[in-house]
């Protein structure tokens, strides 16, 4: 049995809902993400991991700054000192041209001991402290890599998408056959991939997606060739074959730190796998990710809304959380809302970062009429987003992001 740790979608460099640390000048969200990776390293060390697999998207973008690269490299080095580490290339790691290096190719270029970079569709023979493991790597599919023949010339976008999916399924089939025929027969096999799979529930990765997505059918992965399929790309942890007797676990580890409020209620962590040929077992290990909390307070019709607003803030568990307060008011109650006491209460709550926005209920004519002079900047921006046919939930998130710019600096601390 091989003890495997599977994580994915780290996206180091995301600074949304952060603030600058006074001691080192680094955004607080960078510290959050690094702290999660420190938890993972400590767990791998304590539980004596035999193999660590990272299923892609190490950084926020393809060109991370040197400080961020250094912080990630420190943790990779700590893991590699313990056991082999496989780093798969995700869409956020890839360069726009196939001839340019990805953000993690440096580990391969420097031949860093114990680190294998999965940049090709290939099967690797990996020696671990508990024995041999065959690792199939399937990086994020891009047309330049998979469609090099004349069939792609003169095709429409939809035709190219179909050809790309056909080529990707072909590569996965080849990898599966190679894994089935690999010797010794009792060595466990794991496939690591970075792409979307049919049936997966999407999350906040949609908001930071780079390029068009290819949806792989679950049947291309749920085969006896593999004992475990370690996936990245979707930020919500999920097992796509859960509840199916004898099925290969096809698992998205999910991201390890929340990126926005779309992930407010999602557990974050990594997967711990007892990898064994034909009888793999696994579990999800949660980490102490930064809490995100939404307080929706309805004060419509209230003669004095402030006591209820302040009471809701004092009663909530907001310490160390990223908090957004959304007040629903009518024209009369809005006039009685005072921002300063609300911000003071949020500061006293020890929230890490907080924003305040207001949803003011007005008559249809006042709100949607042709004359905009009576509208606040918040309402004008809302009208613009509505005119673009965005969903109400997406409009709400956009207005929350815009609130600090519309109302001044709304961050805590």
């Amino acid at each position: 049995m091989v003890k495997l740790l599977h994580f994915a979608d780290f996206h180091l460099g995301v600074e949304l809902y952060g603030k600058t640390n006074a001691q080192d000048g680094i955004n607080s969200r960078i510290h959050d993400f690094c702290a999660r990776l420190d938890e993972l390293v400590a767990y791998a060390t304590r539980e004596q991991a035999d193999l660590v697999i990272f299923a892609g998207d190490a950084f926020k973008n393809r060109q991370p700054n040197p400080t961020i690269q250094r912080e990630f490299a420190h943790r990779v080095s700590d893991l590699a000192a313990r056991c082999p580490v496989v780093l798969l290339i995700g869409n956020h790691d890839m360069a726009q041209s196939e001839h340019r290096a990805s953000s993690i190719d440096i580990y391969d270029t420097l031949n860093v001991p114990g680190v294998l970079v999965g940049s090709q569709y290939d099967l690797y023979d990996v020696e671990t402290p508990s024995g041999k493991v065959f690792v199939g790597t399937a990086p994020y599919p891009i047309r330049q890599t998979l469609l090099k023949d004349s069939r792609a010339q003169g095709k429409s976008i939809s035709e190219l998408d179909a050809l790309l999916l056909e080529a990707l399924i072909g590569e996965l089939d080849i990898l599966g056959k190679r894994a089935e025929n690999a010797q010794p027969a009792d060595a466990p096999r794991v496939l690591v991939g970075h792409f979307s799979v049919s049936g997966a529930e999407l999350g906040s990765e949609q908001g930071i997606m780079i390029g068009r997505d290819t949806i792989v059918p679950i049947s291309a992965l749920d085969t006896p060739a593999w004992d475990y399929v370690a996936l990245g790309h979707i930020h919500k942890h999920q097992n796509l074959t859960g509840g199916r007797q004898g099925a290969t676990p096809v698992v998205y580890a999910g991201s390890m730190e929340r990126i926005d409020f779309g992930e407010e209620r999602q557990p974050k962590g990594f997967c711990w796998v007892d990898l064994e040929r034909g009888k793999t077992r696994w579990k999800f290990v949660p980490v102490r990710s930064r809490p995100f909390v939404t307080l929706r307070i309805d004060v419509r019709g209230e003669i004095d809304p402030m006591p209820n607003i302040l009471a809701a803030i004092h009663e909530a568990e907001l310490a160390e959380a990223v908090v957004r307060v959304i007040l629903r008011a009518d024209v009369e109650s809005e006039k009685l809302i005072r921002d300063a006491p609300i911000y003071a209460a949020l500061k006293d709550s020890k929230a890490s970062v907080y924003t305040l926005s207001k949803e003011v209920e007005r008559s249809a004519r006042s709100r949607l009429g042709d004359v905009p002079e009576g509208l606040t900047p918040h309402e004008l921006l809302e009208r613009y987003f509505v005119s673009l046919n965005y969903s109400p939930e997406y409009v709400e998130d956009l207005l929350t992001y815009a609130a600090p710019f519309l109302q001044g600096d709304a961050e805590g601390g």
Side-chain angles (χ1 to χ4, degrees), residues 204-334:
S204 294
E205 71 281 345
Q206 297 174 88
I208 57 173
M209 196 75 76
I210 295 178
R212 298 170 62 83
D213 227 12
T214 301
I215 312 297
V216 176
I218 186 69
S219 58
L221 306 173
D222 180 15
T223 75
W226 307 111
D227 298 299
Y228 182 82
V229 178
L231 294 177
H233 193 49
I234 304 298
H235 290 185
K236 183 176 181 180
H237 165 64
Q238 54 200 295
N239 176 16
L240 300 183
T241 56
R244 291 168 50 185
Q245 187 69 27
T248 298
V250 178
V251 183
Y252 282 106
S255 54
M256 295 216 328
E257 182 57 73
R258 295 182 178 89
I259 290 177
D260 58 30
F261 281 93
E263 301 180 356
E264 180 175 350
R265 294 178 177 83
Q266 293 179 12
K268 296 297 175 182
F270 54 88
C271 296
W272 182 253
V273 185
D274 291 333
L275 187 66
E276 196 169 0
R277 189 63 176 149
K279 45 186 176 180
T280 290
R281 300 169 304 281
W282 68 278
K283 66 179 180 179
F284 179 73
V285 181
V287 294
R288 297 186 296 274
S289 55
R290 175 79 61 183
F292 276 52
V293 179
T294 298
L295 283 181
R296 289 184 171 85
I297 307 171
D298 192 340
V299 296
R300 290 174 298 171
E302 294 192 12
I303 298 175
D304 185 5
M306 290 304 297
N308 284 344
I309 295 172
L310 297 178
I313 294 172
H314 288 306
E315 292 169 5
E317 291 290 336
L318 305 181
E320 302 303 320
V322 175
V323 180
R324 62 175 177 179
V325 176
I326 302 173
L327 302 179
R328 190 174 183 187
D330 50 33
V331 175
E332 290 74 20
S333 58
E334 181 197 19

Side-chain angles (χ1 to χ4, degrees), residues 2 123-127 130-135 178-190 225 227 276-278:
V2 173
L123 186 71
Y124 297 90
D125 180 337
V126 179
E127 289 291 345
S130 292
K132 187 188 301 292
V133 176
F134 292 105
V135 179
R178 289 179 61 188
E180 285 183 321
N181 296 326
Q183 295 296 325
D186 61 348
R189 280 90 161 136
V190 57
D227 298 299
E276 196 169 0
R277 189 63 176 149

Side-chain angles (χ1 to χ4, degrees), residues 195-206:
F195 39 69
S196 295
V197 179
S198 60
E201 185 176 342
L202 301 181
S204 294
E205 71 281 345
Q206 297 174 88

Side-chain angles (χ1 to χ4, degrees), residues 343 353-355 403-413:
Y343 285 130
V353 173
Y354 43 83
T355 63
F405 302 97
L406 298 176
Q407 302 179 19
D409 184 8
E411 294 184 353

Side-chain angles (χ1 to χ4, degrees), residues 51-52 54 72-88 104-118 124 126-127:
L51 176 63
V52 172
F54 174 64
F72 187 72
H74 278 324
R75 279 74 178 183
V76 169
S77 177
D78 289 342
L79 289 169
R82 160 76 231 165
C83 64
V85 177
V86 177
L87 302 177
L88 189 71
I104 59 175
D105 275 337
I106 189 67
Y107 295 94
D108 194 32
T109 303
L110 296 178
N111 196 23
V112 177
V115 179
L116 187 158
V117 176
Y124 297 90
V126 179
E127 289 291 345

